[in-house]
Amino acid sequence: MATVFVVANQKGGIGKSTTATNLAGILGKKAKTLLIDADPQGNSTSTYEAKVEDVATLYDVMIDSDRLPIAEAIQHTGNGDIVASDPLLVKAEKMLDGDVEGFYRLKDALEGLEDYKYVVIDTAPSLNIILYNCLIAADKVIIPVTADSYAMQGIKQLYDTIMAVKRRQNRNLEIAGLLLVRYQGRSNLERDIRESIEKSAKEMNTKLFKTVIRECVKTKEAQEQKKLLIDYAPKCNTCLDYLDFAKELLRK
């Protein structure tokens, strides 16, 4: 059975997709890894150059009445294996409303998945039924945060949601930790905020990962070229940090 990592934060634009794609890419060099793009915006899908039109997507696996086995929605791209997102996922709330089993669609789908050691799920910046599906199917949640004054905004609500899912639907669910991304560490303010985030992590019975992800221009270049950092610029600071993060994440 695969270990399922969910990358989540209800704050948008902080690098969830960057974290998800790079983590999946690094893990994919070690063992068979599947990336699932559960964000209707489809940034991870775009990075992997996966198709959305005239192919099976996550929508067909979770929402469509003729739900496909997830194996039939997997695309094998140059960057790795992915189940692509679909703009139609925005209709999920309405379509699954009133369905008692609607929260378990992704978990059910993954139970039929074989051969993968790791699954990484990219999520949308919202607390909706798709996120609940992801959390119920997951083993561990990674929460990317940035070192700014609004870093912890909304994290408490996400934490409460994760704990509610853990109590009621997925007792094995854990917060792997908070991951500091786009970090420069040059200012006293950033360092103070880092200490504040570390304190908040302890209050949530989790941790701030020791590894921090520095920002570099190669990240945007790789995204524009539809490449993973591990292939495009394996020696840049951001890639080296993600490599260290992957080691820390998998350390027993």
Side-chain angles (χ1 to χ4, degrees):
M1 193 71 179
T3 300
V4 181
F5 298 105
V6 167
V7 182
N9 188 323
Q10 67 184 92
K11 183 180 176 185
I14 62 163
K16 283 192 298 297
S17 296
T18 300
T19 297
T21 53
N22 281 292
L23 177 60
I26 289 166
L27 294 178
K29 301 293 185 184
K30 303 172 181 292
K32 200 168 182 183
T33 300
L34 176 66
L35 177 63
I36 297 176
D37 190 355
D39 184 350
Q41 294 181 41
N43 291 332
S44 290
T45 297
S46 176
T47 296
Y48 269 54
E49 291 192 290
K51 298 177 181 178
V52 176
E53 300 292 334
D54 301 319
V55 294
T57 66
L58 187 61
Y59 175 87
D60 300 290
V61 174
M62 288 182 59
I63 313 296
D64 192 56
S65 58
D66 297 324
R67 279 183 289 161
L68 289 179
I70 195 167
E72 294 186 27
I74 295 173
Q75 297 182 48
H76 307 287
T77 76
N79 288 325
D81 292 356
I82 184 172
V83 175
S85 177
D86 193 315
L88 291 173
L89 284 172
V90 297
K91 299 179 179 179
E93 288 285 350
K94 186 179 292 185
M95 297 184 73
L96 294 179
D97 185 37
D99 183 346
V100 176
E101 297 185 356
F103 289 89
Y104 297 87
R105 296 285 181 93
L106 186 55
K107 180 179 175 63
D108 291 345
L110 289 177
E111 285 180 352
L113 187 68
E114 299 178 355
D115 299 331
Y116 287 92
K117 185 168 184 180
Y118 302 112
V119 175
V120 179
I121 305 177
D122 187 15
T123 62
S126 57
L127 300 177
N128 58 20
I129 198 166
I130 297 295
L131 179 64
Y132 275 95
N133 265 270
C134 295
L135 295 176
I136 290 169
D139 296 299
K140 299 180 185 295
V141 185
I142 300 158
I143 305 176
V145 294
T146 49
D148 59 61
S149 54
Y150 302 107
M152 298 306 293
Q153 192 177 58
I155 296 292
K156 177 64 167 58
Q157 192 175 1
L158 175 62
Y159 171 76
D160 289 343
T161 300
I162 293 169
M163 289 301 102
V165 169
K166 182 177 177 68
R167 283 193 304 271
R168 298 187 179 98
Q169 292 125 330
N170 182 2
R171 292 185 179 182
N172 296 322
L173 184 63
E174 296 178 5
I175 300 176
L178 277 62
L179 176 65
L180 201 50
V181 298
R182 297 182 177 174
Y183 188 70
Q184 296 180 352
R186 299 191 187 113
S187 68
N188 290 332
L189 177 61
E190 270 193 316
R191 290 190 287 272
D192 289 344
I193 290 172
R194 180 177 178 176
E195 290 180 7
S196 175
I197 293 172
E198 193 163 15
K199 181 180 177 182
S200 296
K202 288 179 181 178
E203 291 171 356
M204 294 163 57
N205 295 314
T206 186
K207 66 181 179 181
L208 177 65
F209 284 103
K210 291 180 181 178
T211 306
V212 298
I213 309 300
R214 292 167 291 177
E215 195 168 27
C216 71
V217 69
K218 294 293 184 183
T219 304
K220 290 184 178 178
E221 289 179 8
Q223 289 169 346
E224 289 174 2
Q225 296 293 324
K226 310 297 183 187
K227 300 285 186 183
L228 300 177
L229 269 177
I230 189 69
D231 297 320
Y232 182 79
K235 295 186 178 179
C236 77
N237 287 339
T238 307
C239 187
L240 293 174
D241 292 342
Y242 273 119
L243 285 164
D244 287 342
F245 164 62
K247 291 176 185 175
E248 185 179 355
L249 178 66
L250 297 181
R251 198 173 295 139
K252 298 295 183 183

